[in-house]
Amino acid sequence: MKPSSGLPMSMLFGTAAVPADAPVDAQAPLAVAPERGAWALSPPENASAYGDRIDALLARSHGFDLALAAVMLGWMLVAVVRFRGARTVAPDGGTRRSRAWVLGLALGVFGVVDGTLFLGSEGYLRDVLWNFRVPAEDPRTVRIEINAHQWSWEARYAGADGTFGTKDDVVTWNDLRVPAGVPVWVQLVSTDVVHGFSLPAFRVKLDAIPGRVNQTWFQAAREGSWEVACYQHCGTSHYRMRGMLSAMTPEAYASWLREAGRQAVQAYDADDTAAHWGWAWRTP
């Protein structure tokens, strides 16, 4: 599939000099140095305006886990020391009262830990992830259609006319550019197998399924560059399915989109049917 991009072919495939403000090359193995080492226990860097809610939920869950582990290990040590010399007795299943205590404690632990996860996750889904009113009602929202295929991410932006499927559409490969501080609405499909669109720094994961348009949204909290990964094993070159997302100032993004759209009009080829993928934007 050939890219009908607002970018020159040399910029798409890295054969020309790269401007100083260009995003990091997605194919460079060390394009973005990780903020944390490989052995860090914390989640990836949070670049999302709403990612702190997920991180806080995980932190509370891990806190419960550590507290439970400490209680259980402590009780085991007490039992080993206190009953080390006790005589051996045949197990009888305990009394009704002891069984009630065990069941009550188990249900209490389950309710606290899993209940916290459930309520926190449901709140995040309701307020953020499934709340498409936010990008739908914000006039600044950037809409992107992404076509996943073996083994790259192909992104389409509506040009100055704001309509997908016209001559000024900007198409890039493995290169997502968005303005910081603005909702970004993504609609995603796959042309071959199931892929997994993942933005670890934005706490976003979404399946790309052939024949179905899935959607999600996010908002970059600041400028920077982060990895776009595929979390589904999609074939022999799955490891190569890697892109970069660059968050720019709104002014720099508008300038880039305007110039890329102008170049797209000049490079438009009506006979290049493979490059004219896309769909009318679908609102939930």
Side-chain angles (χ1 to χ4, degrees), residues 75-98:
W75 178 253
M76 288 175 61
L77 290 174
V78 169
V80 167
V81 173
R82 181 176 178 182
F83 302 105
R84 181 171 50 184
R87 62 185 180 86
T88 303
V89 296
D92 59 2
T95 64
R96 178 177 297 180
R97 181 179 180 183
S98 66

Side-chain angles (χ1 to χ4, degrees), residues 16-42:
V18 179
D21 61 347
V24 182
D25 180 5
Q27 298 304 320
L30 298 177
V32 177
E35 185 180 82
R36 299 177 174 89
W39 297 101
L41 296 177
S42 55

